[in-house]
Amino acid sequence: ELGPYSHFMQKEIHEQPKALSDTIEAVLENGFAAGLFGARAAELLPQVEGVKILACGTSYYAGLTAKYWIESIAGISCDVEIASEYRYRAAFANPKHLVVTISQSGETLDTMEALKYAKELGHTMALSICNVRESAIPRASELVFYTRAGAEIGVASTKAFTTQLVGLFALAVTLGKQRGRVDAAAEHGYQEALRQLPGSVQHALNLEPQIKAWSDKFAAKQNALFLGRGLHYPIALEGALKLKEISYIHAEAYPAGELKHGPLALVDESMPVVVIAPNDALLEKVKSNMQEVRARGGELFVFADLDSHFSESDGVHVIRTPRHVGVLSAIVHTIPVQLLAYHVALARGTDVDKPRNLAKSVTVE
Ligand code: M6R
């Protein structure tokens, strides 16, 4: 069942080009049309004036990424909330807002209860982004987008996350098109970006030997920091979660601009700092944050792309993903942080597929 792989997590990381192609195929067949999200989408999506995303764990980070796309591409306000927080607070419900739940399993109790609570509060439109057909959450939702990742067995979510991002990106473009914000040329550009994505992800997977070579530098550490900005900040969060979940190293992620507001005090020679630094509009800002780290002796591990123009120097290690892929760069940059967590866990000898204290599907409070 594992084929040439040592763990389900490694297998599932490497299945991403296929999982993404399968999910993208569904999007391209439909062409960013309402039908992608179920029979009632043509009636409901045009009514949407805002988006509220509810999810847990890695699926929550997919939601944080989607916020950037939904606001910039569709021009609709989007807020993202941890399901276990939302369900216990006296929240404000605008019935014109679409509730979007994200769940690989479709059975996560907190997400399910948050959805029920949203309905009680007066929401009438809910979309489920889910990987398991006919599971509880899509059954309780008016609209659904099924990711085509195939069964995910490792407790650490990998291919479910990147395919969720495709579904959420498709939602942003579909809403943008309905609102006249995405013209034919822009739509063509987004389609092309999706078509290129599996190939770029494969390039990132080919970096595995280089990433493995870094793992010994982390294996003996107690802590790690992950930094990113903009669309790559949620990917830093995801990288930190993956590392703590399977290697048991304490890892935290920050938007790089927040460093000086507190976490910089943690940085010294013993603190590895992973930076996600592709060549986007925020690169120069990220570079100055990296200098702040180096000045305190922190060792930098940078995931850049070919266009970022970094050079290695003392205490600065760089691995380059392919050319900058634009709006979907966050998906490509997920691969190296998954591989880093995997190889650090291997170096530490932990149970990669079944980390202690965790379950694949969290059906308890
Ligand atoms: O099945 P779900 O997507 O609802 O699960 C949510 C979280 O429990 C899940 O993403 C968890 O954080 C993963 N173990 C992270 O790798």
Side-chain angles (χ1 to χ4, degrees), residues 11-12 37 48 51 63 66 71 105 117 149 166-167 182 218 250 255 259 270 294 304 332 334 350 360:
K11 176 170 178 266
E12 288 160 5
F37 303 97
V48 170
V51 174
E71 297 209 346
S105 61
Y117 182 54
V166 168
V182 174
F218 284 80
H250 170 232
L259 256 189
S270 64
R294 256 332 272 150
V332 175
T334 302
T350 54
K360 178 66 185 161

Side-chain angles (χ1 to χ4, degrees), residues 1-2 5 10 39 75 127 130 145 154 176 208 241 260 283 288 323:
E1 222 179 2
L2 278 172
Y5 301 107
Q10 190 190 27
L127 163 66
C130 187
F145 178 92
E208 187 164 10
L241 177 62
K260 56 187 172 299
L283 180 62
S288 72
R323 296 205 76 85

Side-chain angles (χ1 to χ4, degrees), residues 242-264:
K242 287 285 97 89
L243 190 68
K244 55 191 150 196
E245 187 173 26
I246 60 166
S247 79
Y248 316 149
I249 292 174
H250 170 232
E252 285 197 64
Y254 277 91
E258 276 290 290
L259 256 189
K260 56 187 172 299
H261 298 290
L264 198 53

Side-chain angles (χ1 to χ4, degrees), residues 79-349:
D79 75 273
V80 191
E81 194 163 341
I82 290 175
S84 60
E85 283 296 308
Y86 176 80
R87 63 177 285 211
Y88 296 115
R89 74 182 180 89
F92 172 78
N94 182 338
K96 298 261 185 214
H97 287 191
L98 175 70
V99 172
V100 177
T101 57
I102 310 169
S103 176
Q104 186 287 129
S105 61
E107 303 287 345
T108 299
L109 184 79
D110 281 323
T111 308
M112 182 69 211
E113 291 300 319
L115 171 60
K116 284 191 199 157
Y117 182 54
K119 295 277 179 80
E120 279 164 31
L121 291 178
H123 281 284
T124 56
M125 301 186 281
L127 163 66
S128 157
I129 308 275
C130 187
N131 194 43
V132 180
R133 288 188 180 259
E134 295 308 317
S135 51
I137 296 171
R139 273 193 276 119
S141 305
E142 287 69 36
L143 309 178
V144 62
F145 178 92
Y146 285 115
T147 48
R148 297 187 183 177
E152 191 181 66
I153 292 166
V155 164
S157 184
T158 53
K159 60 181 181 169
F161 176 70
T162 47
T163 55
Q164 285 165 350
L165 290 176
V166 168
L168 290 159
F169 177 72
L171 175 66
V173 177
T174 304
L175 289 170
K177 228 175 112 180
Q178 287 181 342
R179 276 150 193 78
R181 285 179 56 104
V182 174
D183 62 15
E187 182 180 0
H188 179 73
Y190 294 137
Q191 281 168 345
E192 271 313 296
L194 283 175
R195 276 199 193 97
Q196 305 290 328
L197 182 65
S200 306
V201 164
Q202 185 57 54
H203 273 96
L205 287 167
N206 297 344
L207 299 170
E208 187 164 10
Q210 286 163 260
I211 296 171
K212 183 173 191 287
W214 278 5
S215 59
D216 285 343
K217 294 185 186 288
F218 284 80
K221 301 285 185 187
Q222 307 285 340
N223 301 287
L225 266 182
F226 284 68
L227 302 177
R229 276 182 183 254
L231 271 160
H232 299 93
Y233 164 51
I235 306 310
L237 286 164
E238 172 61 3
L241 177 62
K242 287 285 97 89
L243 190 68
K244 55 191 150 196
E245 187 173 26
I246 60 166
S247 79
Y248 316 149
I249 292 174
H250 170 232
E252 285 197 64
Y254 277 91
E258 276 290 290
L259 256 189
K260 56 187 172 299
H261 298 290
L264 198 53
L266 292 169
V267 174
D268 63 12
E269 299 73 29
S270 64
M271 178 67 87
V273 180
V274 178
V275 190
I276 302 165
N279 184 31
D280 64 10
L282 297 166
L283 180 62
E284 289 310 312
K285 300 279 173 207
V286 174
K287 283 184 175 171
S288 72
N289 300 132
M290 287 167 53
Q291 280 163 8
E292 291 163 8
V293 170
R294 256 332 272 150
R296 275 89 188 167
E299 196 169 0
L300 288 163
F301 295 85
V302 187
F303 292 117
D305 54 37
L306 280 180
D307 305 297
S308 304
H309 304 297
F310 278 113
S311 43
E312 297 244 343
S313 55
D314 194 30
V316 185
H317 314 278
V318 184
I319 290 180
R320 281 191 183 74
T321 53
R323 296 205 76 85
H324 187 58
V325 301
V327 70
L328 298 179
S329 167
I331 301 180
V332 175
H333 282 84
T334 302
I335 310 306
V337 297
Q338 293 171 342
L339 287 169
L340 180 65
Y342 174 72
H343 284 287
V344 174
L346 276 192
R348 286 168 67 99

